[in-house]
Amino acid sequence: MPRVLFVCLGNICRSPLAEAILRHQATEANLDVEVDSAGTGNWHIGERSDRRAIAIGEGRGYEMNHCARQVSSADFQRFDLIVAMDHANVSELVRWDGAEPYKIKLARSFDPAAADLEVPDPYYGGDEGFEEVADQLEQACRGILAHLRDHTA
Ligand code: 4NP
C-alpha cells in the first residue's frame, strides 16, 4: 500500500485538509492508500485543525479529525511520497535529519493546470483563502491519485 505524508508549516490548515481530501478521493476510487500529515513547526502539536479548515473541509464532505504533529525523521522511512505545500516547506524538509529528498514533491506539481506551484498559507487571511486552498488541493489530490495508480503495482 502506498503511503503519503502531506506537510505544511503548522499542520492545522493546509496539510490536514489535503490529508482528508486524498483519503476521501482514494476511498471513492477504491484505492488503498495510507495518508497522514505533519508540520515542520512545533507550535500546534496535539491541537485539532484550525476551525476554518474544519468548517470548509466538513462543508465539502471530508472527515476532518487530524491531531497536529511535527514531522519526524522516521517519516522519511515510513512514507513513499512526502507532499509539501510550498517552497519553504521543501527547504525545511530537505534539511531534516534523515531526509530522503527524492521523496519530497510540491502538491501542485501534481496539477497539470497549476500556474503557481505553491499552496498559499491561509492562516492570516480570511475564509476565501481557505476555499482557494481547498480548490487547489482537490485538483492536486486528483493528480496524486492518478500518480499512485500509475506507480502502484
Ligand atoms: P498551515 O498554516 O501551515 O497551513 O497549517 C499555518 C498555521 C499556523 C501557523 C502558520 C501557518 N502559525 O504560524 O502558527
Side-chain angles (χ1 to χ4, degrees), residues 24-85:
H24 181 95
Q25 290 182 358
T27 302
E28 282 202 327
N30 211 15
L31 196 73
D32 272 338
V33 186
E34 181 180 321
V35 193
D36 195 5
S37 67
T40 58
N42 61 5
W43 312 285
H44 299 285
I45 292 172
E47 292 177 19
R48 302 266 340 257
S49 300
D50 185 284
R51 59 178 172 73
R52 297 163 296 176
I54 293 175
I56 277 154
E58 290 184 345
R60 294 182 183 216
Y62 306 119
E63 208 170 314
M64 299 292 297
N65 53 12
H66 185 72
C67 183
R69 71 173 181 90
Q70 190 173 28
V71 171
S72 81
S73 299
D75 288 328
F76 293 99
Q77 299 304 315
R78 175 159 190 83
F79 293 92
D80 308 297
L81 188 58
I82 297 178
V83 183
M85 297 296 134

Side-chain angles (χ1 to χ4, degrees), residues 8-15 43-44 121-124:
C8 62
L9 179 57
N11 192 215
I12 55 170
C13 300
R14 293 166 292 176
S15 61
W43 312 285
H44 299 285
D121 184 347
Y123 188 61
Y124 293 105

